[in-house]
Amino acid sequence: MTDNKPPTAEAIQNGETHGGPTSIAQQYDLLPKLIPHLDRHLTFPLLEFLSGLEGDESAEVTKAKYELLKQTNMTDYVASLWQEINDSDEVPEEFVRKREEVLQRLSLFTEETSRIDELLNDESVVSNLRSDKVANLKFLEQQHGVTIQMVDMLYDFGRFQYSCGSYANAAHLLDQFRILSTDNDKASSASWGKLAADILTTNWEIVMEEVNKVKESIDTKLFNNPLAQLDHRTWLIHWTLFPFFNYEPARDTITEMLFSPSFINTIQTNCPWILRYLAAAVITNRSRTRNTGAYQKQLKDLVRVVRQEGYEYNDPVTEFIKALYVDFDFEEAQKKLSEAEEVLKGDFFLSAAADAFVEAARHLISESYCKIHQRIDIKYASNFFGVSRYL
């Protein structure tokens, strides 16, 4: 019976979410691969999803949430997690004290940024701003007494609001900071912060605008630092998983980005497990895309990369691609599709796309089968591939 005990909080934090006998979904859980490339706030939805999976609702998941968020300013929620873990109605003094400190800092930040926030919401002031940040700062300093310290306060307040879980406010403040700041490092950090905040508010249209800004910054400002480009692209790839399957208009854009030379090289070098998501996108795009030529090219590129990286990474999703398009083993493809369905339903990013993936994959199996067989027993094919609706 001990083999079925729930994972410890430490194991969950490290991505080791299951111990003892495992299901296919548990065996191919990507949490340990994803967490190192996500902000702690972006990790939280994955733990929420994990807690909702059958068999994973345990005190250990609650402990993992507590360990994840205890360093943030989300004091009320962290205190409630502590109460749940310790089965107590009392709130320890340390949480009460930290809550007061957070409220005091919030009041101080609000007071110290009120002037510049008021100016940046004044149309008569904003209309005088130009693309030249140095000139803008000089104008604001001469006409309205704005200092570099006041601008930097927007950055600090944005980070503070983000730590409090006030993501919409954080996005607003960090955007204001970017408009004025001439500090490239801080402006880059603010862009990442705003992207995370927009993801957490599920403002997908704005998220895609921010993805493009971050991508452009990686391509241009890190041009002379290939290692930094590799690291930043790796982070961006993981962060784009949130809009990838949650926002329909983003699917094609992100798929094209991931197939571009710089990003496919990043996937092969740093994060081959992303092939699961790329494969899922390409397969489900079968019924969505209107450009057959572009789809066939993506499918061909996917098969090539899956074949190349088979020694480095594989799961039932990529093995389905290999069985169908490399080995032409239809029995194996059918087996892997069944396993892939379970894997997708246990994946935070892909659970909602599992049914669409299976339906599209069955179409592809039947198409490939028909292409290489001169004579087909319709009854056999219908029963074997489970595609009686389509044949």
Side-chain angles (χ1 to χ4, degrees):
M1 295 297 291
T2 56
D3 286 340
N4 294 319
K5 65 183 180 180
T8 65
E10 182 179 1
I12 294 173
Q13 283 286 87
N14 292 329
E16 302 164 8
T17 52
H18 306 280
T22 60
S23 68
I24 292 294
Q26 294 166 345
Q27 181 181 348
Y28 291 99
D29 182 13
L30 287 182
L31 203 56
K33 305 289 189 183
L34 301 175
I35 285 180
H37 304 288
L38 297 175
D39 168 271
R40 67 176 66 242
H41 292 259
L42 294 177
T43 300
F44 180 74
L46 278 66
L47 292 185
E48 282 280 88
F49 176 79
L50 179 63
S51 68
L53 292 177
E54 184 178 357
D56 275 336
E57 291 193 40
S58 69
E60 294 301 332
V61 178
T62 304
K63 289 179 182 178
K65 294 178 183 177
Y66 174 76
E67 292 298 324
L68 182 73
L69 298 176
K70 68 180 182 180
Q71 300 300 325
T72 71
N73 290 327
M74 301 169 67
T75 52
D76 289 344
Y77 182 68
V78 172
S80 70
L81 291 174
W82 185 94
Q83 289 176 299
E84 185 177 345
I85 293 167
N86 293 278
D87 192 22
S88 172
D89 294 329
E90 300 294 325
V91 177
E93 180 61 30
E94 63 180 287
F95 292 111
V96 176
R97 186 167 57 250
K98 184 172 181 179
R99 185 177 190 276
E100 289 302 316
E101 291 173 356
V102 168
L103 290 175
Q104 288 176 9
R105 291 186 65 197
L106 177 62
S107 177
L108 182 62
F109 270 126
T110 302
E111 180 181 347
E112 291 185 343
T113 58
S114 61
R115 174 57 178 160
I116 191 169
D117 184 60
E118 179 183 331
L119 289 171
L120 292 175
N121 285 289
D122 186 334
E123 184 59 35
S124 64
V125 174
V126 174
S127 63
N128 284 292
L129 299 181
R130 301 292 182 263
S131 59
D132 187 339
K133 292 184 178 183
V134 175
N136 289 338
L137 283 175
K138 187 175 182 180
F139 162 74
L140 290 172
E141 180 182 8
Q142 293 177 345
Q143 300 297 321
H144 303 283
V146 172
T147 64
I148 293 294
Q149 290 72 27
M150 292 169 67
V151 174
D152 287 341
M153 190 64 68
L154 291 172
Y155 176 79
D156 294 337
F157 193 16
R159 294 187 61 187
F160 177 83
Q161 289 278 29
Y162 184 80
S163 183
C164 290
S166 299
Y167 303 120
N169 289 333
H172 172 70
L173 288 161
L174 292 172
D175 191 40
Q176 287 186 324
F177 171 77
R178 283 191 314 185
I179 292 172
L180 299 177
S181 178
T182 56
D183 186 324
N184 289 333
D185 290 338
K186 276 191 174 182
S188 175
S189 177
S191 290
W192 283 98
K194 186 175 186 305
L195 173 56
D198 288 328
I199 288 172
L200 290 162
T201 56
T202 65
N203 193 348
W204 300 124
E205 187 174 349
I206 300 299
V207 165
M208 290 309 299
E209 292 178 7
E210 293 301 320
V211 166
N212 290 330
K213 289 178 182 177
V214 171
K215 178 180 177 297
E216 183 180 354
S217 176
I218 294 172
D219 291 341
T220 57
K221 296 181 180 179
L222 295 177
F223 181 79
N224 292 322
N225 192 340
L227 183 58
Q229 278 189 322
L230 180 66
D231 289 340
H232 282 71
R233 285 187 180 125
T234 302
W235 277 71
L236 183 59
I237 287 169
H238 286 80
W239 290 28
T240 55
L241 293 178
F242 287 91
F244 204 177
F245 293 94
N246 282 303
Y247 182 53
E248 194 78 7
R251 188 80 60 86
D252 291 338
T253 302
I254 296 176
T255 301
E256 290 175 9
M257 183 187 81
L258 296 184
F259 271 118
S260 67
S262 58
F263 278 86
I264 202 69
N265 288 340
T266 299
I267 291 171
Q268 291 183 272
T269 303
N270 252 17
C271 48
W273 51 88
I274 296 297
L275 288 176
R276 171 189 297 183
Y277 303 102
L278 195 53
V282 171
I283 296 301
T284 55
N285 273 359
R286 178 197 177 280
S287 59
R288 296 174 60 256
T289 184
R290 297 180 181 178
N291 189 334
T292 304
Y295 176 76
Q296 290 301 325
K297 183 180 185 305
Q298 288 182 351
L299 184 58
K300 183 179 179 180
D301 289 343
L302 174 66
V303 172
R304 174 181 57 80
V305 177
V306 165
R307 189 172 188 172
Q308 289 175 348
E309 297 303 315
Y311 71 94
E312 189 70 31
Y313 176 80
N314 60 76
D315 64 25
V317 178
T318 62
E319 288 173 341
F320 166 77
I321 300 295
K322 180 177 181 294
L324 184 59
Y325 290 109
V326 178
D327 302 331
F328 301 102
D329 186 335
F330 296 102
E331 290 190 18
E332 183 68 8
Q334 187 69 11
K335 175 186 174 184
K336 291 302 176 183
L337 177 58
S338 178
E339 294 177 357
E341 181 177 11
E342 184 178 344
V343 168
L344 266 59
K345 288 182 176 179
D347 188 301
F348 169 79
F349 295 106
L350 296 173
S351 59
D355 291 341
F357 178 89
V358 171
E359 182 176 355
R362 283 175 174 165
H363 274 289
L364 292 172
I365 291 174
S366 62
E367 286 178 2
S368 296
Y369 184 82
C370 291
K371 284 180 180 178
I372 66 173
H373 288 82
Q374 291 182 336
R375 301 182 65 182
I376 300 168
D377 185 325
I378 298 297
K379 184 177 180 181
Y380 169 79
S382 175
N383 292 333
F384 181 74
F385 296 120
V387 291
S388 56
R389 290 178 296 166
Y390 315 122
L391 295 175

